[in-house]
Amino acid sequence: MKFLALFKKEAKDILSNKIYLLVVFVQLLIILGAYGLALTSSVVTDPELLDEWGGSTAIKVGLPQNLQGSTLEESLKNQDLTLMYFPDVETGLNQVGKEVVALVYISNEEGDIGLQIDNTNVFYPVARDKINKALDYYQLEKRLSSSGLSVEEINIIQNPLDINEIEINKESASPLALESSYFVEIMYGFIVPFILLLPFFLASNIVTDSVVGEKERKTFEVLLMTPLSGPMVIAGKILPILLFSLIQSGAWIMLLYFLQVPVYNPLLLIVLLFFVGMGFIGMGVLISMLVDSTKEANSAVTLLLFFATFVLFLPLFMNIPALYGILNTIPTVIIVRMSSGPYLNPLWLLEFLPSIVISLAIFALSIFYFKQEGAIRL
Amino acid sequence: MEGGDVTGVVLLPSADDFNLEEIKPVPVKLYIDYKDPKRSVIKDEVVTAQNRASSLISQRWIDDLTPPEEVSQPEIQEETQGEALPLQLINKVMTAILLFLPLFLFGNLIVDSIVGEKERKTGEILIAMPVSRSNIILGKSMAVIITMALQAALWMFLMILAGYSIENPGLVYLIVVTTALPIVGLTSIIAAFSKNYKEAGIGITFAYVAIIGFLIVPALAYISQQGRYVSASTMTLAIKVFSGETLSRGDIIVPFTSLLLISLISYYISIWLFKRDDIVFGPRPGLLRLLFEFTGLSKVLNYFKK
């Protein structure tokens, strides 16, 4: 009952703090911003998606007027490029980087092709890809034109592999915002674990405010004299914050589902996040025991978050087979694997163990230092 | 696939179907599990492999039909112009960010200076001195700006030593230091308004995110559109100056005018706040009430109430 009183008091403090609620709103903006950025960059770098979204019309390629009606013009049009015609090559070259991304022209009497392209344009990768495909077809057509092959045969030569895609489980297909490998990789490979851990970065600050705030307001000694054991006091302080953070993570999972980025195995993820959160908040309590002011606590938490970010997110970009045993136990790696597919390998649950052990150890350490601090102060 | 061990399966044709002597499509089947969102990654990898294999098969057929020594095909001579976007981001934007970084690292100095007076209860002593409140704010701000200027000079010197190419360093330095004026002014507003370090810290975080966006977004837009717009922010101007590009009148007038305006307004507001006893000593009025009083709307409302 006494524990519940402390729990309720802490919960009320959190929910009545406008700053914490504002930070939740800021997290929402960060999530939407990251999602928008992933979406935009995926479309801009994928020629097929750019065509689908009508972005190809922004890619303008210049041609001298004397190439109108030629096979080269046709090849470029087949790539959904918008063509602009210039009276001569010189005029066209002057407009590269201004009106057009590139100029394609016949550079000499042998019929060689000149391509001047603006490297600085944001559509450069897609434009180059499309122009190269068009030029490949043009070269092929030129080479084979004397061999008497039909257009159909030339097409087969250009695309010899006929891939027949057979869709399995189409009726229960996961809704995806964008069918793009870049989007899937960046969302599930980095943004989803980042979003799910965001509330816990805030939680470290909340707990230090709570505990160090007691010291600054001189109510810490009063708290120590209450008929609550050290573990009960720590639990009473930690649990509301942990619950607040878990509810946020749950809300972000629902938001991602709404944005058509389904997060799989959400319940198991919440269990993992519970222990990761306990670790973050436990570290916050430890820092609170060692410092005397909010300013010191904030600096220490900033350093803690810096190292935590390094330890948690760097493994996502590492591909060292010798370290797979260790890397697979990092919480963010587990989150990536579990959230990105509907299938669950029971062996993955064993990889929770190091996170659970470390979190419980940090919690035990925070209780030890709390008792020590209590002994010093009383 | 049913157990989720694999998301896709590629079935290649049998030896009988795979005959490169004839020009006919090579059938390949790709089974994709649509339940798994990683399907697009699998498809992408298969397409990459398809392109590589297709290129080898195509070349084999082309060489069989038209041996290279018998036919000449048009060569492609590609020339690129300008610096690649990723390189520009590294060379120009990162350099600009490093130059402007000292301005954001010292926000805590002004917070410490103003909010610290409230927390340590030394505000009364300071106000009791024969120094006007505006001079207090301006004096504290000047001290921080000088510290930022020294830091920016040191960083610039180290960057040049490290091999960074910075043309017109004097002008670039002037741009960086003048950008410090409104940043310190805006930080002073937050510090003057805040009751404690925690509030000030959170306020500054939001303010700096907005300021950094205001500086960096026009710079990124400039890099991707290359010279079509005047420098909307001082960071864009700095990039143009240290890259040795030609400046138009608009390039100088627009950012410096906005710097001057923002500086004047921000210092005016921070001094106005610091002059109020309810802000310095409490109880602090609400933000809306302050806004009404600052804009004179409260007088209008009181007039109509009468």
Side-chain angles (χ1 to χ4, degrees):
Chain A
M1 287 301 292
K2 293 161 195 156
F3 162 78
L4 272 177
L6 179 60
F7 180 97
K8 279 183 191 170
K9 178 242 171 206
E10 291 296 325
K12 202 177 154 189
D13 282 346
I14 294 169
L15 293 172
S16 59
N17 194 318
K18 288 176 194 160
I19 291 169
Y20 298 150
L21 299 175
L22 187 64
V23 174
V24 172
F25 176 69
V26 168
Q27 281 181 63
L28 177 64
L29 293 178
I30 291 171
I31 291 166
L32 293 174
Y35 174 81
L37 205 61
L39 213 64
T40 317
S41 54
S42 301
V43 171
V44 165
T45 52
D46 188 326
E48 280 175 31
L49 281 174
L50 201 61
D51 287 343
E52 213 178 290
W53 285 52
S56 296
T57 49
I59 304 174
K60 291 182 188 156
V61 174
L63 268 186
Q65 265 165 2
N66 59 6
L67 288 177
Q68 265 182 304
S70 66
T71 327
L72 187 55
E73 185 203 27
E74 198 189 313
S75 309
L76 290 166
K77 276 186 179 170
N78 286 343
Q79 293 297 322
D80 291 327
L81 292 164
T82 305
L83 300 178
M84 271 184 81
Y85 301 93
F86 299 102
D88 51 63
V89 173
E90 203 59 49
T91 316
L93 286 171
N94 285 336
Q95 293 303 314
V96 173
K98 295 170 193 167
E99 293 291 320
V100 294
V101 175
L103 179 78
V104 179
Y105 57 96
I106 304 292
S107 60
N108 55 31
E109 282 167 5
E110 282 86 36
D112 290 339
I113 299 162
L115 168 62
Q116 182 82 6
I117 189 162
D118 177 23
N119 220 354
T120 65
N121 193 293
V122 71
F123 291 118
Y124 165 76
V126 173
R128 190 165 181 271
D129 192 53
K130 284 175 171 278
I131 292 170
N132 280 339
K133 279 183 184 164
L135 294 180
D136 282 345
Y137 182 80
Y138 175 73
Q139 275 185 313
L140 184 67
E141 201 271 338
K142 275 275 176 221
R143 187 162 170 185
L144 296 175
S145 57
S146 55
S147 57
L149 291 172
S150 64
V151 170
E152 200 192 321
E153 282 171 314
I154 294 175
N155 281 335
I156 293 170
I157 292 171
Q158 206 182 20
N159 299 299
L161 287 178
D162 177 24
I163 294 191
N164 180 21
E165 190 185 310
I166 297 148
E167 296 158 354
I168 308 288
N169 294 321
K170 186 73 196 245
E171 62 290 342
S172 50
S174 56
L176 256 188
L178 209 57
E179 289 287 344
S180 156
S181 66
Y182 179 79
F183 179 76
V184 168
E185 282 170 13
I186 201 152
M187 283 304 298
Y188 287 101
F190 175 70
I191 292 178
V192 164
F194 172 71
I195 287 169
L196 295 183
L197 286 174
L198 216 44
F200 300 97
F201 294 152
L202 168 67
S204 309
N205 267 309
I206 298 178
V207 79
T208 51
D209 277 348
S210 172
V211 179
V212 179
E214 299 267 8
K215 288 185 185 180
E216 286 186 336
R217 289 187 299 272
K218 314 283 182 218
T219 53
F220 193 68
E221 287 79 4
V222 175
L223 183 66
L224 291 171
M225 289 195 298
T226 55
L228 280 170
S229 62
M232 287 285 115
V233 171
I234 300 280
K237 288 249 174 225
I238 284 179
L239 282 176
I241 301 167
L242 196 52
L243 208 61
F244 181 59
S245 305
L246 284 172
I247 290 170
Q248 281 178 71
S249 291
W252 301 152
I253 289 174
M254 284 183 358
L255 174 66
L256 284 169
Y257 193 83
F258 179 71
L259 292 173
Q260 296 195 315
V261 180
V263 174
Y264 294 94
N265 306 301
L267 291 173
L268 282 172
L269 283 175
I270 295 285
V271 169
L272 177 65
L273 289 171
F274 174 84
F275 288 102
V276 172
M278 195 195 270
F280 268 102
I281 295 168
M283 284 303 301
V285 172
L286 266 174
I287 287 168
S288 306
M289 294 300 121
L290 299 170
V291 302
D292 285 319
S293 69
T294 318
K295 200 171 131 187
E296 280 177 25
N298 285 341
S299 304
V301 165
T302 304
L303 268 174
L304 164 72
L305 291 180
F306 175 77
F307 282 114
T309 309
F310 185 78
V311 167
L312 289 172
F313 290 96
L314 190 63
L316 294 177
F317 304 99
M318 287 165 73
N319 190 11
I320 306 169
L323 293 178
Y324 277 169
I326 299 169
L327 294 179
N328 286 343
T329 60
I330 303 285
T332 41
V333 174
I334 301 173
I335 291 171
V336 167
R337 273 198 283 155
M338 283 177 52
S339 65
S340 60
Y343 305 103
L344 180 68
N345 186 339
L347 289 174
W348 292 349
L349 297 175
L350 288 175
E351 287 160 359
F352 278 33
L353 289 175
S355 303
I356 295 172
V357 166
I358 292 170
S359 302
L360 291 174
I362 292 171
F363 184 68
L365 208 59
S366 63
I367 294 171
F368 170 75
Y369 274 101
F370 179 82
K371 283 182 176 169
Q372 259 209 336
E373 186 74 2
I376 291 166
R377 285 183 175 253
L378 294 178
Chain B
M1 280 175 77
E2 279 177 22
D5 293 328
V6 292
T7 308
V9 173
V10 176
L11 280 183
L12 297 172
S14 63
D16 295 330
D17 288 334
F18 192 65
N19 179 13
L20 290 183
E21 301 307 318
E22 291 176 58
I23 297 174
K24 61 174 189 177
V26 179
V28 174
K29 283 187 183 166
L30 169 62
Y31 292 87
I32 288 268
D33 183 2
Y34 264 67
K35 243 172 137 175
D36 195 326
K38 297 188 288 293
R39 58 186 180 260
S40 47
V41 180
I42 302 294
K43 273 199 258 185
D44 202 52
E45 292 297 319
V46 170
V47 165
T48 307
Q50 176 198 9
N51 289 339
R52 274 195 226 118
S54 293
S55 148
L56 289 170
I57 297 170
S58 299
Q59 201 56 49
R60 159 88 185 262
W61 282 340
I62 292 165
D63 289 343
D64 284 347
L65 284 166
T66 54
E69 56 277 7
E70 291 176 16
V71 179
S72 68
Q73 69 176 31
E75 298 284 321
I76 300 170
Q77 291 146 354
E78 184 182 325
E79 265 186 54
T80 53
Q81 66 179 50
E83 201 180 359
L85 210 52
L87 269 177
Q88 284 198 67
L89 286 171
I90 294 165
N91 291 341
K92 293 185 180 174
V93 178
M94 286 309 302
T95 305
I97 289 172
L98 283 172
L99 287 168
F100 282 80
L101 205 51
L103 308 186
F104 298 97
L105 296 178
F106 290 93
N108 270 323
L109 278 183
I110 196 83
V111 165
D112 229 359
S113 177
I114 298 176
V115 180
E117 302 279 6
K118 295 180 198 177
E119 294 233 342
R120 292 185 297 266
K121 311 281 181 221
T122 51
E124 290 96 328
I125 301 166
L126 186 63
I127 286 164
M129 287 169 66
V131 182
S132 68
R133 295 203 199 188
S134 38
N135 282 344
I136 292 171
I137 291 288
L138 291 174
K140 285 177 181 289
S141 301
M142 192 57 56
V144 172
I145 290 168
I146 290 171
T147 313
M148 284 178 178
L150 288 171
Q151 184 74 36
L154 182 64
W155 280 36
M156 204 179 219
F157 175 68
L158 288 171
M159 284 170 72
I160 292 170
L161 269 183
Y164 278 85
S165 162
I166 300 177
E167 291 188 40
N168 310 303
L171 190 54
V172 172
Y173 180 70
L174 183 69
I175 295 167
V176 171
V177 171
T178 44
T179 309
L181 293 169
I183 291 175
V184 171
L186 290 166
T187 316
S188 305
I189 296 177
I190 294 166
F193 180 74
S194 301
K195 276 191 280 199
N196 51 45
Y197 282 118
K198 191 173 99 181
E199 249 183 44
I202 290 169
I204 279 166
T205 305
F206 288 132
Y208 279 14
V209 166
I211 294 168
I212 289 167
F214 178 72
L215 286 174
I216 287 183
V217 170
L220 290 173
Y222 159 69
I223 294 287
S224 58
Q225 292 294 321
Q226 198 65 31
R228 289 190 193 182
Y229 307 107
V230 295
S231 316
S233 75
T234 47
M235 190 179 271
T236 318
L237 177 61
I239 289 173
K240 284 187 177 180
V241 170
F242 72 63
S243 304
E245 289 172 30
T246 328
L247 301 176
S248 65
R249 243 180 293 176
D251 283 329
I252 297 167
I253 293 173
V254 169
F256 278 108
T257 309
S258 54
L259 269 188
L260 187 65
L261 271 171
I262 297 170
S263 301
L264 287 171
I265 295 169
S266 58
Y267 285 112
Y268 180 80
I269 295 173
S270 58
I271 291 167
W272 180 78
L273 285 170
F274 198 68
K275 278 182 177 174
R276 296 176 65 112
D277 285 342
D278 52 0
I279 293 285
V280 179
F281 303 114
R284 189 180 67 186
L287 198 55
L288 268 175
R289 191 179 138 193
L290 280 172
L291 209 61
F292 274 34
E293 285 184 24
F294 181 76
T295 51
L297 277 172
S298 59
K299 285 185 185 164
V300 171
L301 283 169
N302 287 339
Y303 177 80
F304 280 109
K305 272 184 190 169
K306 283 177 192 170

